[in-house]
Amino acid sequence: MKSKSTLFLVLDTETTRPKKQSRGIVFDLGYKIVDRYGNAYGQASFLATDVLSNHGPFYYNKIGRYYDMAYDKEIFPVPFNVIQKAINLTIKDLHNKGYEKVIAVGYNAKFDFGSLDNTSEKLLHKKFLQVPVKYLCLWHYWSLNCPLNYKGPRTPSGKLVSTKAEHVYAFEFKKPAFIEEHTGYADASIEAELLLRVLNRSKGRLPTYNHYKDIPGGIPFIANRRLGIIKQKK
């Protein structure tokens, strides 16, 4: 069977408040699957009931929003093991349909997929993804291709321009008042839009990695060097 186009599984997570010497764990996961032309191949929004029943969200003021989302069936409240199975089955199904190249995308992919592995290892004693994928960090990809006229607020230190998803999306789509919702599916949706924007203007190779741990660090400096805010490395 001839391999079909590359698909991008754009995913965002929300985590609980970290405890001492312990990372937060994932309670909200949303994703959209698109190709480079914007065609949609699936989407979902999950709330991990077993996690949320024992831990508070990082953005605690959002808890009421999750009640509304569950009531309106905008999010599916299920145990974390159901979420893990659903994502893996979704990718396997795409492979079986001839979409051999599925790229897992997160704005901060190292955080999102690291948090999913951390949660899965704690609750299920195994890695989250059991199927082969390449990883793409959208933050890294955008930074390598950011517009030279990019404007964003300064970071708290004042030394760099912020390249947070909220500020990048606001600039790219000319929505200066945009505020990121910080729920999984809503954030995955804007990240899918942003991915398509970068794909449309980038001519180079996709900076994908076999493992999210291989994604380079120091991403905030990449765009700031490109913009001339800090000096280029010699």
Side-chain angles (χ1 to χ4, degrees):
M1 183 188 295
K2 187 178 178 181
S3 180
K4 297 181 181 178
S5 13
T6 297
L7 296 184
F8 300 90
L9 189 153
V10 185
L11 176 151
D12 187 84
T13 64
E14 298 298 323
T15 61
T16 61
R17 288 180 177 270
K19 297 181 179 179
K20 287 184 179 179
Q21 299 179 332
S22 177
R23 294 169 59 179
I25 56 178
V26 175
F27 72 91
D28 173 11
L29 180 155
Y31 73 81
K32 288 192 79 169
I33 302 170
V34 296
D35 63 17
R36 67 180 303 118
Y37 307 107
N39 298 309
Y41 294 80
Q43 61 188 45
S45 180
F46 296 109
L47 185 67
T49 52
D50 47 346
V51 174
L52 201 56
S53 62
N54 293 300
H55 304 269
F58 186 85
Y59 292 99
Y60 199 79
N61 61 331
K62 298 288 183 185
I63 194 68
R65 171 75 178 118
Y66 284 105
Y67 290 137
D68 291 341
M69 289 166 69
Y71 181 81
D72 293 334
K73 297 183 179 179
E74 295 174 17
I75 196 167
F76 293 100
V78 292
F80 186 81
N81 72 306
V82 174
I83 299 172
Q84 191 268 344
K85 286 178 183 176
I87 300 294
N88 281 273
L89 286 171
T90 295
I91 297 172
K92 284 181 182 177
D93 185 54
L94 292 171
H95 287 167
N96 291 337
K97 289 177 178 176
Y99 298 99
E100 293 178 9
K101 196 168 184 182
V102 178
I103 298 176
V105 184
Y107 190 79
N108 185 353
K110 192 175 279 190
F111 171 81
D112 286 314
F113 292 101
S115 296
L116 284 168
D117 265 354
N118 176 55
T119 307
S120 191
E121 286 164 358
K122 282 185 175 179
L123 300 182
L124 309 177
H125 310 292
K126 60 183 176 183
K127 297 288 186 184
F128 184 77
L129 286 182
Q130 301 287 312
V131 287
V133 294
K134 295 278 190 179
Y135 292 88
L136 174 67
C137 178
L138 180 53
W139 188 18
H140 179 223
Y141 185 36
W142 178 86
S143 295
L144 292 169
N145 297 277
C146 69
L148 296 178
N149 65 336
Y150 172 69
K151 304 291 182 186
R154 289 277 173 166
T155 59
S157 71
K159 296 178 180 178
L160 301 174
V161 168
S162 170
T163 54
K164 288 182 176 180
E166 178 176 276
H167 302 139
V168 168
Y169 184 86
F171 174 84
E172 290 278 3
F173 292 93
K174 298 180 173 56
K175 296 180 179 180
F178 174 76
I179 297 175
E180 194 172 10
E181 186 170 311
H182 291 297
T183 59
Y185 180 74
D187 292 357
S189 296
I190 66 149
E191 289 158 18
E193 289 182 63
L194 185 56
L195 171 66
L196 295 174
R197 177 63 58 92
V198 186
L199 284 167
N200 284 334
R201 70 164 171 255
S202 172
K203 305 298 182 186
R205 180 186 66 86
L206 280 173
T208 58
Y209 295 87
N210 291 326
H211 199 286
Y212 63 81
K213 289 182 180 178
D214 297 328
I215 293 166
I219 293 175
F221 299 104
I222 296 172
N224 278 271
R225 286 194 188 99
R226 180 172 162 79
L227 295 167
I229 292 166
I230 55 177
K231 291 181 180 178
Q232 293 279 355
K233 281 185 176 180
K234 291 184 179 180

